[in-house]
Amino acid sequence: MNDPNPKAASAARPAVLSLNINSKSALYAAYMPFIKQGGLFIPTTRPYAIGDEIFMLLTLMDEPARLPIAGTVVWITPAGAQGNKNQGIGVRFSADESGQAARNKIETILGGHLNSSRPTHTI
């Protein structure tokens, strides 16, 4: 039987993004601690909408393993944004174990830098 709406099946699958963050300063700029479950800003020109589900494979600096993280788009910075901000999306980590493990790992790496006044990709 043919599916009358083939887009519906593909829309249910989250987008998969591979993200490598190679330095503490890049992690600081991308991390969004002001989001309840934690999240990351991902520079991208690909169009997304608020609420889109994302699956990330995150590599942090010298860590050998990639962290699999499910999330949801909660922030969009369009092309040509004010203040020369990079175009991209903010992804809130899921409340499940993988999302919270990623948040804990990132906050451990950043430690005292979380309260810095240095600008980030989002604020």
Side-chain angles (χ1 to χ4, degrees), residues 17 19 29-56 69-78 85-94 120-123:
L17 297 171
L19 184 62
Y31 185 57
M32 299 188 308
F34 54 86
I35 292 180
K36 185 177 180 182
Q37 293 157 211
L40 284 174
F41 178 82
I42 302 169
T44 181
T45 57
R46 189 170 166 193
Y48 289 94
I50 299 291
D52 283 355
E53 292 184 21
I54 303 290
F55 186 77
M56 293 178 276
I69 310 163
T72 305
V73 175
V74 295
W75 181 291
I76 297 174
T77 302
K85 294 288 188 186
N86 290 337
Q87 180 179 359
I89 57 173
V91 178
R92 178 185 64 215
F93 298 152
S94 66
T120 68
H121 289 306
T122 53
I123 300 181

Side-chain angles (χ1 to χ4, degrees), residues 18-28 30-31 39-40 56-69 93 98-99 101-110:
S18 184
L19 184 62
N20 296 316
I21 297 181
N22 297 318
S23 71
K24 193 181 282 190
S25 61
L27 181 59
Y28 172 82
Y31 185 57
L40 284 174
M56 293 178 276
L57 293 170
L58 176 63
T59 304
L60 292 172
M61 291 161 285
D62 297 330
E63 295 286 326
R66 293 196 296 180
L67 299 171
I69 310 163
F93 298 152
S98 69
R103 178 182 182 181
N104 291 339
K105 182 146 203 87
I106 290 168
E107 289 185 356
T108 297
I109 291 169
L110 292 177

